[in-house]
Amino acid sequence: MTLELLRWVYMLKSVWAVLIALAIGALLILTTGHSPIAAYRELFGGAFFDYWGLSATLVKLCPLLLAGLAVALPLRVGLFNIGAEGQIYMGGLFATIVALYGPELPGLLGILLCAAGGLAGGAVWAAIPALLKAYRDLNEVIVTLLLNYVAINIVSYAVSGPLMAEGAPYPYSEEIRESLWLPYIMPRTDAHAGVIVAVIAALLLSVVMRYTSVGYSLQTVGANPQAARYAGMSVRRHIMTSMLVGGALAGLAGAFEVMGLKHRLFHLFSAGYGYDGIVIAFLAGTNALGTIVAATFMAGLESGANMMQRAAGVPVTLVEALKGLIVIFVATGLAFSFQRSRWARLIERRRTMSAAIKAAQGG
Amino acid sequence: MLELFSDMQALVQFLSSALRLSMPLIFAALAGVLSERSGVFNVGLEGLILMGAFGAALGTFHTGSPFAGVLVGMALGVLLALPMAIMSISLGVNQIVAGVAINLFSLGITAFLARIAIGATANTQLLPGFRPIAIPVLSSIPVIGPVLFNQDLLVYLMYLAVPALYILMYWTPLGLSIRAVGHNPRACDAAGLSVAGLRYACVLVAGALAAMGGVYLVLSQVFVFSEHMSAGKGFIALAAVILGRWNPVGALLACLLFGVFDAYQLRLQFENPDVPYQIFSTLPYVVSILALVLISGRNVAPQAVGKYYHRESH
């Protein structure tokens, strides 16, 4: 009974982590002289129980979920893709180039081609750290981090140079033609169909990881590269596969920001979705289904933050601090697995001990 | 770049700006060397720089003295390094994850607190900072003099910090212990050294050192605090640690290399106003990656870096 309870407490560790982070966030809100309860009511009420707020949450959910998957998938193999941000930028760039200069295909074909451009852009950008990791054992954390800044500069250059719209007051590209816009899913709002694709992608990945040999071997490589090599699995191929698919998903996020929301490429259009993807992947414990839940929560934080600022006067930057706190506590929670087994052993020992005592008393 | 050497004045200006641009990197890279030598991979450098910058602005804003800014900056650096140390040394959290968490938290909390404590929206008002002090005699040496010896106090502090760390690391028993703990913690434990104690000390001191990078940004370079002002410097410093082979002097040289390229790209921007500046902005990042590619394969990382040491597991 106690063990069962402990196991539940342990399984819900991400939830506890979020609650502790929110509690510390409440203290921070108190320092601004506002009521934490009112602030959180505005935050979550606005994000999930309001028509416009919900649409804003769905708009954020699309890039966040794809970025979360982009981090979670390589993580299964033991690789830290801190470069989803750069991959989003390159995806947005490639999709815009395809949209503006590519062949004009009718209907859905045009949308698919544009999205493929995004997938390719993200994959190309992820291929650099993947190759360097696989063939030169270069630390992928540092390479992906540095490449983020390169990608942001490339997009910034593109929208203020070759792609810049004529007569634009500040750097952005020409608008892409309306046949390439993603359909809207909630009348009179910005919520677009990209979010449905993102959820389908998460479900698909979940099935692939759980039920296919590809998913199984990816996890084996992550768990024990030496054993995997011994079993005839190519560690290099798995590094490439997981990073390229991850990068492609991040690229798709960038493409959907252009095709579904902004309809043109802007300088600094991503606003840190790639870094939020890291938070989401950890919050979800790299589980694809968990990623949907975690991304929804994070999207709610993002969209509710503005409402909280307007209605309760608490600065939106609080949400940034909350994200950091959440990672700290989730990461700490993940580390507690060995502690749990120690507790479990202790309880087990206590139980056998009391059973022995009872037996002695009975006899 | 060659035309620089025909014009002394321009050369002095160029080298001075290269040194100034590498300063935040140097402090952060020294911090990286110290904590990685003890076995803790420190991705949190970026956040520590930002926290140091915020502390510098906070202390200086409320007292009017940049010295208070230095103290508050370093104190906040240590304070932020503490959760990093607890997570990676005591709890066995993956060190990359711990570092990412520290960075995200720092990004949010400094922006949040800046509005409350300094009353800023995006930028603070101009703060009093450190001004160059010319060292007599030394500063009159041609070229080298004005570049190296007409700088502010924080630069002179860096001149002390690099050899101090080098001597600590290679000439003292404590340094030997630190390197040993980063190399083979189990043997150290068996020999009676406190693995966790040494690592805590290194990560906390590294927190203060990396924060100095941010202090320099605020009190010597721009004299304001702005959100996200660390802008990737911590990550370049991380690359410099590897490039400098986990050696304080090597890290210094790597940072100077990036500083030179950063100054060079600024010069190119200035000289070629018709070419979009972003082409030049990427230069330091691209150079970092290329340099890493060139030196990889001769990797001499401390063997236990990034690995959690748990006493009871065997």
Side-chain angles (χ1 to χ4, degrees):
Chain A
M1 179 62 211
T2 330
L3 242 177
E4 198 60 24
L5 201 69
L6 260 183
R7 187 172 301 142
W8 269 101
V9 169
Y10 177 68
M11 272 175 59
L12 292 173
K13 59 188 182 298
S14 289
V15 177
W16 295 117
V18 168
L19 289 179
I20 295 171
L22 288 178
I24 296 181
L27 291 178
L28 288 175
I29 294 170
L30 278 177
T31 63
T32 64
H34 297 282
S35 152
I37 294 171
Y40 282 146
R41 195 192 300 134
E42 289 301 330
L43 180 70
F44 293 109
F48 297 111
F49 301 103
D50 172 276
Y51 183 77
W52 303 100
L54 185 64
S55 76
T57 304
L58 291 180
V59 167
K60 302 270 183 196
L61 177 58
C62 173
L64 287 174
L65 179 50
L66 289 169
L69 295 173
V71 180
L73 185 65
L75 202 56
R76 281 294 179 95
V77 189
L79 290 174
F80 288 88
N81 179 19
I82 316 288
E85 185 76 356
Q87 291 145 16
I88 290 172
Y89 274 92
M90 294 312 272
L93 177 65
F94 274 46
T96 308
I97 292 173
V98 170
L100 294 179
Y101 303 104
E104 265 192 58
L105 297 179
L108 192 61
L109 280 178
I111 289 185
L112 284 177
L113 183 70
C114 199
L119 287 165
V124 163
W125 211 238
I128 303 170
L131 283 169
L132 291 176
K133 177 73 186 177
Y135 291 92
R136 311 231 28 188
D137 198 23
L138 215 58
N139 189 328
E140 81 282 3
V141 176
I142 293 169
V143 178
T144 51
L145 275 171
L146 292 171
L147 281 175
N148 286 342
Y149 292 91
V150 179
I152 290 170
N153 271 302
I154 290 177
V155 167
S156 171
Y157 160 71
V159 294
S160 60
L163 287 185
M164 189 162 173
E166 229 171 290
Y170 55 96
Y172 55 70
S173 76
E174 296 284 357
E175 194 168 72
I176 64 173
R177 61 178 178 280
E178 209 169 328
S179 66
L180 294 177
W181 295 10
L182 295 177
Y184 291 107
I185 53 171
M186 284 170 74
R188 291 172 300 135
T189 71
D190 283 340
H192 56 80
V195 65
I196 297 172
V197 178
V199 171
I200 292 172
L203 294 174
L204 267 179
L205 259 184
S206 162
V207 170
V208 167
M209 291 308 283
R210 205 171 293 197
Y211 300 110
T212 67
S213 60
V214 180
Y216 179 74
S217 65
L218 274 174
Q219 304 200 43
T220 312
V221 170
N224 190 341
Q226 255 119 25
R229 186 154 25 201
Y230 189 69
M233 299 170 180
S234 162
V235 175
R236 279 183 179 155
R237 206 180 62 225
H238 287 92
I239 291 176
M240 298 301 296
T241 313
S242 64
M243 282 294 282
L244 288 185
V245 175
L249 289 170
L252 191 62
F256 282 175
E257 282 301 282
V258 173
M259 298 160 66
L261 185 64
K262 313 260 166 99
H263 303 136
R264 48 173 104 225
L265 189 64
F266 282 89
H267 170 54
L268 292 180
F269 72 92
S270 164
Y273 291 132
Y275 297 106
D276 291 340
I278 304 168
V279 186
I280 290 163
F282 280 99
L283 202 54
T286 76
N287 174 301
L289 291 179
T291 312
I292 301 178
V293 179
T296 307
F297 174 73
M298 291 287 288
L301 275 186
E302 294 275 344
S303 73
N306 289 317
M307 300 225 184
M308 178 181 71
Q309 175 155 329
R310 268 201 303 277
V314 177
V316 280
T317 48
L318 173 80
V319 167
E320 293 279 332
L322 272 181
K323 281 189 267 183
L325 284 169
I326 289 170
V327 196
I328 291 178
F329 291 116
V330 171
T332 307
L334 291 178
F336 265 108
S337 50
F338 71 91
Q339 303 277 29
R340 179 200 60 117
S341 64
R342 190 191 291 161
W343 292 343
R345 269 207 312 275
L346 277 174
I347 288 165
E348 195 61 35
R349 201 178 297 161
R350 270 180 63 92
R351 190 189 291 158
T352 49
M353 204 191 298
S354 55
I357 294 170
K358 252 189 215 126
Q361 282 168 342
Chain B
M1 207 168 181
L2 278 176
E3 79 281 358
L4 271 172
F5 293 94
S6 54
D7 179 357
M8 277 264 278
Q9 195 60 38
L11 182 64
V12 167
Q13 261 175 16
F14 174 77
L15 291 177
S16 304
S17 79
L19 179 63
R20 276 199 296 275
L21 288 167
S22 46
M23 279 296 294
L25 303 178
I26 296 171
F27 279 120
L30 290 180
V33 168
L34 183 63
S35 73
E36 291 190 26
R37 273 292 184 176
S38 79
V40 179
F41 189 55
N42 202 336
V43 183
L45 292 181
E46 176 81 2
L48 290 166
I49 294 178
L50 197 57
M51 192 55 102
F54 170 68
L58 183 69
T60 311
F61 178 78
H62 284 289
T63 63
S65 156
F67 292 97
V70 173
L71 288 180
V72 176
M74 289 174 84
L76 288 189
V78 174
L79 203 63
L80 185 66
L82 187 64
M84 172 84 201
I86 295 175
M87 278 192 279
S88 51
I89 302 165
S90 296
L91 298 177
V93 174
N94 183 296
Q95 292 173 5
I96 294 167
V97 180
V100 169
I102 291 294
N103 288 339
L104 282 169
F105 175 66
S106 171
L107 212 66
I109 200 73
T110 52
F112 179 74
L113 290 179
R115 290 173 196 222
I116 299 169
I118 322 180
T121 46
N123 287 312
T124 57
Q125 67 191 74
L126 216 57
L127 295 160
F130 292 107
R131 297 288 169 192
I133 306 166
I135 295 181
V137 188
L138 286 178
S139 62
S140 51
I141 306 171
V143 185
I144 296 172
V147 172
L148 295 182
F149 301 110
N150 188 15
Q151 295 286 357
D152 61 59
L153 266 178
L154 298 180
V155 176
Y156 300 138
L157 195 66
M158 182 275 282
Y159 294 166
L160 295 178
V162 174
L165 189 61
Y166 186 87
I167 291 169
L168 169 81
M169 207 75 102
Y170 294 101
W171 291 1
T172 67
L174 179 61
L176 182 65
S177 305
I178 291 172
R179 285 182 293 140
V181 157
H183 195 72
N184 190 342
R186 187 159 314 284
C188 293
D189 200 7
L193 288 175
S194 166
V195 176
L198 280 165
R199 287 185 173 175
Y200 263 93
C202 287
V203 172
L204 294 183
V205 173
L209 262 176
M212 281 302 295
V215 170
Y216 183 85
L217 275 180
V218 168
L219 296 181
S220 300
Q221 230 168 39
V222 289
F223 306 104
V224 292
F225 173 79
S226 53
E227 293 174 13
H228 305 197
M229 72 185 299
S230 48
K233 294 188 173 57
F235 304 131
I236 293 191
L238 264 183
V241 173
I242 299 180
L243 208 56
R245 308 240 187 137
W246 294 270
N247 177 315
V249 178
L252 169 74
L253 294 176
C255 292
L256 287 173
L257 178 78
F258 299 137
V260 165
F261 275 100
D262 210 2
Y264 187 50
Q265 68 90 8
L266 285 176
R267 209 181 143 80
L268 285 174
Q269 280 187 30
F270 182 72
E271 284 172 357
N272 305 285
D274 45 323
V275 179
Y277 71 92
Q278 295 92 344
I279 290 184
F280 305 124
S281 300
T282 57
L283 196 60
Y285 303 106
V286 174
V287 167
S288 305
I289 295 171
L290 289 180
L292 284 173
V293 172
L294 289 177
I295 64 128
S296 77
R298 293 180 288 161
N299 213 327
V300 285
Q303 280 187 358
V305 77
K307 288 183 190 133
Y308 169 56
Y309 174 65
H310 183 46
R311 280 191 83 156
E312 284 133 75
S313 66
H314 288 282

